[in-house]
Amino acid sequence: MAAGGVNPSQLLPLELVDKCIGSRIHIIMKSEKEIVGTLLGFDDFVNMVLEDVTEYESTSEGRRISKLDQILLNGNNITMLVPGGEGPEM
């Protein structure tokens, strides 16, 4: 471990999310949606503001892809966060 560095195993979850501000993040929701965007900020409940967003939704007709400029995401609906993720494979 480098001087002044943090052992990754001692990193708290919100500290990891904080390190992702300004970078791309892949979010898997409780519903049939996955979201990829640039994280602008978040709060203690992991509600997130994202920009340059792509939303992937699985429907009975196949996968629907939507592009959004900016969203406020309710943290209560998040299942998993993938820092640096580029979205689901096609």
Side-chain angles (χ1 to χ4, degrees):
M1 181 167 55
V6 175
N7 182 347
S9 65
Q10 296 175 343
L11 197 62
L12 295 173
L14 289 180
E15 290 175 322
L16 177 61
V17 177
D18 188 54
K19 288 181 177 287
C20 295
I21 290 178
S23 60
R24 301 291 285 174
I25 190 165
H26 175 193
I27 302 166
I28 300 172
M29 306 298 290
K30 290 179 182 176
S31 64
E32 296 295 318
K33 291 184 183 182
E34 296 184 38
I35 295 172
V36 178
T38 302
L39 180 62
L40 296 181
F42 69 98
D43 64 11
D44 289 341
F45 301 103
V46 196
N47 298 314
M48 298 181 162
V49 177
L50 301 164
E51 72 176 359
D52 188 25
V53 176
T54 304
E55 179 184 68
Y56 302 89
E57 184 174 10
S58 297
T59 65
S60 57
E61 294 85 33
R63 178 168 284 169
R64 186 172 69 198
I65 300 173
S66 305
K67 300 279 188 177
L68 304 162
D69 290 333
Q70 196 172 65
I71 64 168
L72 171 61
L73 187 63
N74 184 331
N76 195 41
N77 298 316
I78 295 173
T79 298
M80 184 168 56
L81 302 172
V82 183
E86 284 301 319
E89 295 179 4
M90 292 300 184

